[in-house]
């Protein structure tokens, strides 16, 4: 079973899964974060431009930390438990408080692909969102997936997310519009299927 530590309200939540530790991304991770976001393969389905210098990674880490303190987001560093090696990031990109919704996202280094780490960490994020540990009540979790990202769709389907449909030209980045698949998982599913 997953173990969630919550020592103080103000402390960053730390989650353990069988193979992973999810904890705070710090400036000590700058090199790893830069390596992740400067890999064009990682960014094929991602809405940010490829990083060219480590300062961009520092800015991202600082920005995420501020948004966490402001209660807007909660993103974890994902580390292999045995080696403590940084293998990616995941978590809540934003809370939409009026809808009791958390929008999640995730990205992993290529060496970690195909090993089930994304599935394991996203399941931990889902459990956290629907628990009393979440800083905001969450009834609905959403994930937006760019067309063609079959690996991401497979992970979400495996974790019990429903594909609600395709949002046509929903987002604009890297000079073009993108159709996104909307996936959701509900805490309270009142609908009979």
């Amino acid at each position: 079973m997953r173990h969630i530590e919550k020592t103080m309200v103000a402390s960053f939540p730390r989650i353990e899964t069988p193979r992973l530790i999810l904890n705070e991304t710090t400036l000590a991770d700058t090199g790893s974060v830069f390596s992740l976001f400067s890999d064009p393969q990682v960014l094929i389905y991602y809405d940010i431009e490829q990083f060219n210098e480590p300062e961009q990674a520092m800015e991202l880490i600082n920005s995420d930390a501020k948004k966490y303190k402001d209660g807007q987001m909660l993103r974890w560093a994902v580390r292999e438990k045995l080696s403590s090696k940084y293998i990616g990031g995941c978590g809540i990109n934003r809370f939409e408080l009026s809808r009791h919704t958390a929008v999640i996202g995730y990205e992993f280094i290529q060496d970690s692909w195909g090993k089930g780490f994304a599935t394991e960490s996203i399941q931990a994020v889902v459990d956290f969102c629907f628990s009393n540990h979440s800083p905001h009540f969450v009834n609905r979790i959403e994930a937006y997936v760019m067309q063609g990202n079959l690996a991401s769709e497979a992970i979400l389907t495996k974790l019990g997310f429903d594909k609600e449909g395709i949002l046509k030209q929903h987002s604009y980045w890297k000079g073009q519009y993108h159709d996104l698949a909307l996936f959701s998982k509900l805490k309270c599913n009142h609908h009979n299927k």
Side-chain angles (χ1 to χ4, degrees):
M1 289 306 299
R2 286 165 197 82
H3 173 69
I4 299 175
E5 265 181 35
K6 193 174 185 186
T7 49
M8 298 179 345
V9 178
S11 69
F12 194 93
R14 180 180 187 273
I15 302 174
E16 279 192 37
T17 69
R19 299 181 296 161
L20 302 170
I21 291 174
L22 281 63
N23 62 12
E24 191 169 11
T25 308
T26 70
L27 290 176
D29 297 309
T30 298
S32 299
V33 172
F34 173 69
S35 178
L36 178 69
F37 285 107
S38 60
D39 182 342
Q41 288 301 113
V42 170
L43 298 177
I44 286 176
Y45 301 112
Y46 218 81
D47 62 348
I48 63 172
E49 298 288 338
Q50 184 177 336
F51 284 5
N52 297 313
E53 47 197 49
E55 287 73 24
Q56 291 169 288
M58 291 175 69
E59 286 171 17
L60 180 65
I61 293 166
N62 286 329
S63 170
D64 285 359
K66 183 182 184 316
K67 288 177 183 173
Y68 164 67
K69 287 189 177 78
D70 293 343
Q72 298 173 323
M73 72 168 359
L74 179 49
R75 300 268 306 172
W76 286 270
V78 181
R79 306 178 200 279
E80 283 191 72
K81 192 180 277 187
L82 292 177
S83 64
S84 295
K85 179 185 176 191
Y86 177 97
I87 60 168
C90 71
I92 302 154
N93 292 349
R94 68 181 182 275
F95 289 100
E96 295 187 1
L97 301 182
S98 63
R99 298 195 299 126
H100 302 140
T101 296
V103 178
I104 63 167
Y106 41 89
E107 58 283 331
F108 291 86
I109 62 171
Q110 280 196 65
D111 287 352
S112 72
W113 293 358
K115 298 176 182 174
F117 291 138
T119 303
E120 192 170 318
S121 57
I122 298 308
Q123 181 62 62
V125 170
V126 168
D127 292 346
F128 180 90
C129 284
F130 289 153
S131 78
N132 293 330
H133 297 285
S134 177
H136 305 291
F137 174 75
V138 174
N139 180 60
R140 176 181 166 91
I141 301 172
E142 293 179 348
Y144 295 83
V145 182
M146 194 170 143
Q147 294 298 281
N149 191 348
L150 301 181
S152 190
E153 292 202 10
I155 289 166
L156 294 167
T157 301
K158 184 176 183 179
L159 292 175
F161 281 72
D162 291 322
K163 186 174 183 178
E164 294 190 351
I166 306 297
L167 304 170
K168 298 287 187 184
Q169 297 186 10
H170 182 269
S171 296
Y172 183 85
W173 67 75
K174 297 176 185 171
Q176 61 185 28
Y177 292 101
H178 296 280
D179 297 347
L180 301 181
L182 172 59
F183 285 79
S184 72
K185 189 174 179 76
L186 303 179
K187 181 175 188 175
C188 314
N189 193 347
H190 300 294
H191 303 290
N192 295 324
K193 292 194 173 179

